Amino acid sequence: MADHVIALDQGTTSTRAIVFDAEGRIVASAAREHAQIFPRAGWVEHDADEIWQNAAGVLEAALAEAGLVAADIAALGITNQRETAVVWDRRTGRPVHNAIVWQDTRTQVLLDRLGGEGGDRDRFADETGLPLATYFSASKVTWILDHVEGARDAAEAGDLLFGTIDSWLVWKLTGGARHITDVTNASRTLLMDLASLAWSERMTETFRIPAAMLPEIVSSSAVLGEITEVDALRGVAIAGILGDQQAATFGQAAFDAGESKNTYGTGNFLLVGTGERIVRSQHGLLTTVAYRIGDEPAHYAVEGSIAVTGSLVQWLRDNLGLISEASEVQTLAETVPDNGGAYFVPAFSGLFAPYWRPDARGALVGLTRYVTRAHIARAALEATAFQTLDVITAVEADTGKPLEELRVDGGMTRNGLLMQFQADVLQIPVVRPEIVETTALGAAYAAGLATGVWTSFEELRGHWREGERWEPQMDAEERDRRVRMWQKAVRRSFDWVDTDARILMGTAD
Ligand code: ADP
């Protein structure tokens, strides 16, 4: 009987498939990492074909591990790294360039130009909910059209398609039958009008992106297509799509206005629902679509996006060789009682929320001969907690309401030292649910709601169970002192990228 749902979670570092049963429990899963391609300082790419191969592979592997067949699966839900842009040829199905990843900063100069004389990065925020930043998809597409030979002509002729990763995967899964993207992903492109939920002509003209390339914008939860290209799942409906952070919010059953979650992955993303209202932040948060069920009105959220949190741990592992796997960062940090005076501001892609400073770059400050690798490991973990504090301060300033506790999920929440420090700097409890795979669960929920596996939000809320809780313990004065040191460190990271730095990085034009 078709009472299971399979979720495909295409993240920045890996692609996972998870089979859930009707109670929302994990039955089986499979995962594969893909290559991170760094052609130059500030550039980050993925091979979209590799991502598709991994996706097909993990779907088959998870289904096999569950001992199930296509007839047992009611639907597939997709969730994905957002903003990352793929442009491919509709005739050959081949990408014309590597996918340009959300962290990539190569298009800063173009965005500076679009900001006009006054450098107004909020010029289009009224319509899109977003500042002009390299983070979002639009400028990445413009870059591909401007730099790949023949791409612009082919796009004008209707031969090239653009999509975020959800769009690319659906197109591949359906053998090119469906070129769609859900409203949550579309709300991250800088091309969608938040109120009408349609592509904005003003924005596509601003970025010189031919309308013929754009996918159709669809609901997050609806029957959207049928899998034809993965044999083991042939005929299964694709019935849910949510960007990864919206999916995590959905998976935490935070459906209503005022409900929130914070995900600790490659970066950190805090979302607070605002119901059917579009709320404009005065404090550096984005406005985004949270979900749309069938033909119902869309629900919105404000979001605090932090570019670098877990990826700083990867950087300690891959670039410094300080640790050999991510979990060792905790063991190393635990060998010292504090950060020894070191503060690490990981502004590798500039600083996102709440600062939006593209001119910032990473800074490790407060160094003395006393500081060891263990202090640096600790400072790296603390950076995640401090950046989260900055975002929550912005949320509280916007909403006028203090947060009572923080619901968390994501890979970094396995780190107990970090979670305790987070509770300490926020001075509120931090709570993790039993199922930490909330991103995949959210995509499964969207697909299961559209196909009758689940029938109401109430039913899904009933699945949520508390797994672990951290209570604040740090002395208030000590906490305040450390926060002041962090704020000083943040200021040290500003104003780094100027013409000299751009020339050194090879991104002067
Ligand atoms: P994503 O979905 O963005 O790919 P995940 O939720 O899988 O990310 O989280 C992976 C991130 O968490 C990686 O950046 C990794 O460095 C970090 N991470 C994993 N385990 C730990 C740990 N024990 N302590 C700190 N960071 C960790």
Side-chain angles (χ1 to χ4, degrees):
M1 194 181 117
D3 58 355
H4 288 72
V5 178
I6 191 162
L8 178 60
D9 175 4
Q10 202 305 298
T12 308
T13 44
S14 68
T15 307
R16 281 174 285 224
I18 301 184
V19 180
F20 292 95
D21 68 15
E23 273 73 55
R25 287 184 300 240
I26 294 176
V27 176
S29 68
R32 279 185 202 167
E33 285 206 15
H34 56 271
Q36 305 293 318
I37 304 165
F38 305 113
R40 292 187 193 187
W43 294 28
V44 188
E45 299 179 355
H46 291 158
D47 175 347
D49 273 327
E50 182 189 5
I51 284 178
W52 157 243
Q53 296 297 337
N54 285 357
V58 294
L59 283 171
E60 288 186 328
L63 191 69
E65 198 202 302
L68 298 174
V69 294
D72 300 314
I73 305 293
L76 165 73
I78 297 176
T79 176
N80 56 290
Q81 54 168 322
R82 306 170 301 171
E83 301 97 11
T84 298
V86 189
V87 175
W88 68 96
D89 188 316
R90 76 157 87 226
R91 300 157 302 182
T92 63
R94 304 278 311 173
V96 300
H97 191 272
N98 277 336
I100 301 187
V101 177
W102 58 274
Q103 299 148 320
D104 192 291
T105 59
R106 78 184 66 181
T107 55
Q108 187 59 52
V109 173
L110 165 68
L111 293 164
D112 288 346
R113 229 177 279 140
L114 292 180
E117 285 293 312
D120 179 11
R121 69 181 165 71
D122 284 330
R123 221 179 128 190
F124 304 107
D126 259 5
E127 190 170 359
T128 63
L130 310 175
L132 277 172
T134 57
Y135 178 23
F136 310 107
S137 318
S139 65
K140 303 174 196 295
V141 181
T142 309
W143 191 93
I144 291 175
L145 295 182
D146 285 344
H147 290 81
V148 174
E149 213 187 310
R152 184 164 290 283
D153 288 344
E156 306 273 3
D159 291 334
L160 296 192
L161 301 178
F162 152 67
T164 40
I165 294 285
D166 57 317
S167 192
W168 165 244
L169 290 175
V170 171
W171 196 84
K172 294 298 275 185
L173 285 164
T174 61
R178 302 288 282 145
H179 182 220
I180 58 177
T181 188
D182 96 298
V183 272
T184 68
N185 277 290
S187 76
R188 316 296 298 187
T189 57
L190 256 175
L191 299 172
M192 192 184 82
D193 181 314
L194 266 184
S196 70
L197 306 175
W199 299 121
S200 151
E201 216 170 294
R202 173 180 173 226
M203 297 311 298
T204 53
E205 275 168 16
T206 299
F207 283 97
R208 295 179 294 118
I209 296 175
M213 301 182 73
L214 300 172
E216 178 192 344
I217 301 174
V218 297
S219 280
S220 320
S221 174
V223 175
L224 302 167
E226 192 181 296
I227 301 176
T228 56
E229 304 306 305
V230 176
D231 284 342
L233 285 168
R234 193 181 299 275
V236 170
I238 302 170
I241 307 177
L242 285 162
D244 54 9
Q245 301 311 321
Q246 283 87 345
T249 314
F250 215 75
Q252 287 264 26
F255 306 118
D256 288 347
E259 294 185 316
S260 65
K261 66 87 211 184
N262 194 27
T263 299
Y264 297 68
T266 308
N268 262 37
F269 303 87
L270 179 91
L271 268 77
V272 185
T274 60
E276 292 174 27
R277 277 181 54 223
I278 296 178
V279 174
R280 310 272 176 217
S281 170
Q282 302 302 315
H283 298 91
L285 305 174
L286 311 176
T287 310
T288 204
V289 178
Y291 59 85
R292 184 176 186 206
I293 308 287
D295 296 331
E296 291 172 26
H299 280 236
Y300 297 88
V302 290
E303 172 178 320
S305 333
I306 306 171
V308 178
T309 57
S311 57
L312 180 57
V313 175
Q314 287 168 14
W315 185 84
L316 295 182
R317 181 193 66 188
D318 302 338
N319 295 39
L320 296 194
L322 211 59
I323 48 176
S324 55
E325 51 185 292
S327 59
E328 272 176 38
V329 72
Q330 177 163 351
T331 337
L332 180 58
E334 273 168 351
T335 61
V336 288
D338 56 35
N339 63 18
Y343 286 79
F344 201 152
V345 185
F348 296 168
S349 307
L351 284 172
F352 286 13
Y355 303 102
W356 299 103
R357 292 291 298 243
D359 57 310
R361 280 300 177 269
L364 180 52
V365 298
L367 301 185
T368 59
R369 284 198 67 183
Y370 174 73
V371 169
T372 65
R373 49 208 284 279
H375 294 118
I376 292 174
R378 202 159 185 121
L381 288 176
E382 291 184 0
T384 295
F386 285 128
Q387 292 187 95
T388 299
L389 167 70
D390 292 342
V391 161
I392 288 179
T393 306
V395 168
E396 291 179 342
D398 268 337
T399 60
K401 270 192 274 178
L403 214 63
E404 279 163 19
E405 62 174 34
L406 183 67
R407 276 193 181 185
V408 302
D409 52 56
M412 273 191 116
T413 62
R414 281 193 288 264
N415 193 310
L417 178 78
L418 168 61
M419 291 297 105
Q420 182 57 51
F421 190 74
Q422 185 71 85
D424 287 342
V425 296
L426 293 177
Q427 296 183 302
I428 54 171
V430 169
V431 186
R432 189 178 65 192
E434 235 168 51
I435 295 196
V436 285
E437 295 284 359
T438 51
T439 308
L441 185 60
Y445 281 171
L449 277 174
T451 49
V453 178
W454 298 296
T455 51
S456 71
F457 283 171
E458 275 324 299
E459 186 183 4
L460 299 178
R461 271 202 188 92
H463 295 166
W464 195 93
R465 274 184 198 72
E466 184 169 316
E468 197 152 358
R469 170 179 287 266
W470 291 268
E471 298 284 346
Q473 290 172 353
M474 193 181 281
D475 168 73
E477 217 171 290
E478 176 64 15
R479 176 256 180 208
D480 291 350
R481 189 182 60 78
R482 294 191 195 199
V483 170
R484 282 196 302 275
M485 293 296 285
W486 163 256
Q487 289 163 344
K488 203 151 63 154
V490 168
R491 290 195 295 273
R492 297 286 189 280
S493 75
F494 292 166
D495 286 324
W496 185 258
V497 178
D498 54 12
T499 308
D500 286 338
R502 282 214 172 106
I503 288 168
L504 281 176
M505 292 187 298
T507 52
D509 58 28

